């Protein structure tokens, strides 16, 4: 198993980003005078004139022109659904490989499990985890399982993210769920941290048909741009349990629901078919609904992405030899803090 892991990729220096968005001009997110919904900036789709930028990009780039309806929805609603983006064959191969890891008793995979306390989670080995417990997440399966990579970087998701990021794509966190997370409505920017906090997107792949009452994903449509920044300790986009009071954290979570409801934003439930992928924007307010039927699973794979020129915050806490980017295929890179 360890030799297999080592052979998955060859570590490489951080890939170099291109200097422009492909048309010879600076990336649209970097243009002088650009105004964003957030004080922390963002991707070009987070600009206040994003629809006008989309017009320009679609006229210049045929790949963007093809994706125009999906990108327009993403700008407006903060998410897009790519139906049947991943084949059932790929999903079945991944599921079988994961079951072999579980059965082996010696898998290198690690799992985030809930605990009591301000940090509210701990990381244990797969052999020591109850992966069927709510809030349990198998971490970065793409780093240990070859079958995860073609799903994470499936063609539809990769093309969409390439257009949104204006450069190559980095997958830097993965979460496999067997059951609903039951996680409170939150914004990823509070916990999934990169040096450019708004330049993040996530994908949610259904590994099976998702049933009502399974703790399905929920989200407030349009909340990514409708809600003003919550600034921890008056200046930070992300939450730090050592720096920020617990009451402030709870205030943020409660305010997401209160402000979304006050603005009349729709609370949508995601009930996809196996192979469907939902991509959401960094600040979309989302969470896991309550599990009403404990007999059903909610198998899913979440991946957090950024432009490859961004740096995951966890690199600050890793030794130099662990701060590596691994290339799966041209334009597709991964990083992990666990393996």
């Amino acid at each position: 198993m360890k030799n297999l892991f080592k052979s998955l990729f060859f570590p490489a220096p951080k890939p170099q980003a291109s200097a422009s968005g492909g048309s010879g001009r600076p990336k649209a997110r970097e243009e002088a005078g650009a105004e964003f919904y957030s004080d922390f900036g963002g991707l070009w789709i987070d600009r206040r004139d994003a629809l006008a930028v989309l017009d320009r990009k679609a006229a210049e780039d045929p790949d963007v022109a093809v994706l125009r309806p999906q990108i327009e929805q993403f700008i407006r609603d903060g998410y897009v659904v790519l139906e049947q983006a991943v084949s059932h064959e790929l999903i079945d191969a991944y599921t079988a490989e994961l079951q072999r890891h579980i059965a082996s008793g010696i898998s290198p995979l690690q799992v985030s499990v809930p605990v009591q306390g301000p940090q509210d989670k701990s990381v244990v080995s797969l052999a020591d985890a109850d992966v069927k417990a709510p809030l349990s997440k198998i971490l970065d399966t793409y780093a240990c399982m070859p079958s995860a990579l073609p799903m994470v970087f499936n063609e539809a998701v990769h093309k969409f993210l390439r257009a949104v990021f204006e450069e190559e794509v980095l997958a830097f966190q993965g979460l496999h769920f067997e059951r609903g997370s039951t996680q409170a409505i939150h914004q990823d920017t509070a916990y999934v941290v990169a040096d450019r906090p708004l330049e993040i997107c996530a994908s949610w792949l259904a590994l099976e048909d998702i049933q009502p009452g399974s703790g399905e994903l929920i989200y407030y449509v349009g909340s990514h741009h409708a809600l003003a920044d919550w600034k921890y300790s008056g200046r930070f986009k992300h939450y730090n349990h050592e720096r920020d009071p617990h009451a402030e954290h709870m205030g943020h979570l409660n305010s997401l629901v209160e402000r979304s409801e006050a603005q009349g934003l729709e609370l949508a439930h995601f009930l996809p078919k196996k192979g469907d992928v939902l991509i959401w924007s960094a600040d979309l307010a989302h969470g896991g609904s309550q599990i009403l039927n404990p007999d059903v699973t909610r198998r899913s794979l979440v991946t957090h992405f950024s432009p490859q020129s961004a740096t995951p915050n966890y690199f600050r806490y890793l030794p130099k030899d662990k701060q590596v980017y691994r290339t799966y295929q041209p334009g597709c890179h991964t990083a992990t803090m666990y393996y």
Side-chain angles (χ1 to χ4, degrees):
M1 186 72 71
K2 289 184 178 179
N3 289 335
L4 172 63
F5 166 60
K6 290 180 179 178
S7 67
L8 280 177
F9 314 99
F10 291 101
K14 183 173 182 176
Q16 295 299 307
S18 60
S20 73
S23 61
R25 62 163 58 97
K27 295 181 178 70
R29 67 172 186 258
E30 299 170 349
E31 289 176 347
E35 295 185 2
F36 294 85
Y37 287 92
S38 170
D39 292 343
F40 296 89
L43 299 163
W44 71 266
I45 51 95
D46 299 310
R47 287 174 51 158
R48 291 186 179 273
D49 62 346
L51 291 176
V53 177
L54 176 59
D55 288 340
R56 186 185 76 202
K57 283 179 167 288
E60 296 174 345
D61 186 340
D63 291 335
V64 174
V66 170
L67 293 169
R68 181 176 183 143
Q70 292 96 326
I71 296 175
E72 188 170 343
Q73 182 196 346
F74 196 69
I75 292 170
R76 181 184 67 245
D77 296 335
Y79 76 95
V80 68
V81 177
L82 306 177
E83 295 182 351
Q84 297 304 288
V86 179
S87 72
H88 290 198
E89 290 77 13
L90 286 177
I91 293 172
D92 292 345
Y94 169 85
T95 301
E97 186 178 6
L98 179 60
Q99 290 305 311
R100 291 194 294 272
H101 274 262
I102 293 172
S104 74
I106 57 170
S107 171
L109 286 170
Q110 298 187 56
V111 184
S112 173
V113 296
V115 296
Q116 295 294 324
Q119 198 164 359
D120 73 22
K121 63 178 72 71
S122 182
V123 175
V124 302
S125 70
L126 180 62
D128 293 330
D130 177 5
V131 298
K132 295 184 177 180
L135 283 174
S136 291
K137 312 163 191 176
I138 305 176
L139 300 165
D140 297 357
T141 58
Y142 58 73
C144 298
M145 295 173 50
S147 60
L149 289 160
M151 300 197 311
V152 168
F153 291 111
N154 70 83
E155 183 178 13
V157 169
H158 180 229
K159 284 184 175 180
F160 185 87
L161 293 177
R162 180 66 180 81
V164 169
F165 289 159
E166 304 180 283
E167 61 180 81
E168 297 181 3
V169 178
L170 173 69
F172 68 97
Q173 185 189 76
L175 308 169
H176 172 104
F177 295 87
E178 285 288 301
R179 295 194 178 273
S181 70
T182 66
Q183 190 171 2
I185 294 289
H186 64 282
Q187 292 171 311
D188 282 347
T189 47
Y191 316 105
V192 183
V193 187
D195 57 344
R196 305 195 299 266
L198 267 292
E199 294 183 24
I200 293 170
C201 291
S203 69
W204 198 105
L205 165 61
L207 301 176
E208 61 183 351
D209 293 351
I210 303 302
Q211 305 299 321
S214 62
E216 60 268 24
L217 178 71
I218 53 177
Y219 48 89
Y220 281 103
V221 178
S223 55
H224 64 310
H225 290 159
L227 307 179
D229 289 315
W230 182 279
K231 296 181 180 179
Y232 282 97
S233 295
R235 55 180 291 209
F236 297 101
K237 188 65 173 166
H238 68 279
Y239 168 64
N240 183 315
H241 74 278
E242 295 178 343
R243 178 194 65 214
D244 306 312
H246 180 65
E248 185 179 6
H249 180 219
M250 296 307 298
H252 181 202
L253 299 181
N254 292 334
S255 79
L256 292 174
V257 175
E258 293 168 357
R259 290 185 289 160
S260 295
E261 295 288 341
Q263 295 192 44
L265 301 181
E266 175 192 357
L267 180 63
H269 289 242
F270 186 45
L271 295 170
K273 296 297 185 182
K274 180 178 178 178
D276 291 349
V277 176
L278 183 145
I279 303 176
W280 71 77
S281 184
D283 256 355
L284 186 75
H286 65 283
S289 58
Q290 292 302 304
I291 298 175
L292 303 179
N293 184 350
D295 296 326
V296 298
T297 55
R298 195 208 69 174
R299 295 190 177 96
S300 55
L301 182 65
V302 173
T303 308
H304 291 103
F305 300 92
S306 70
Q308 53 88 3
S309 62
T311 301
N313 188 62
Y314 59 70
F315 270 24
R316 298 171 57 191
Y317 308 103
L318 295 178
K320 285 292 185 181
D321 64 332
K322 299 292 186 181
Q323 298 177 27
V324 295
Y325 292 73
R326 304 175 189 273
T327 299
Y328 163 57
Q329 62 185 22
C332 301
H333 313 281
T334 67
T336 178
M337 70 176 293
Y338 299 104
Y339 310 104

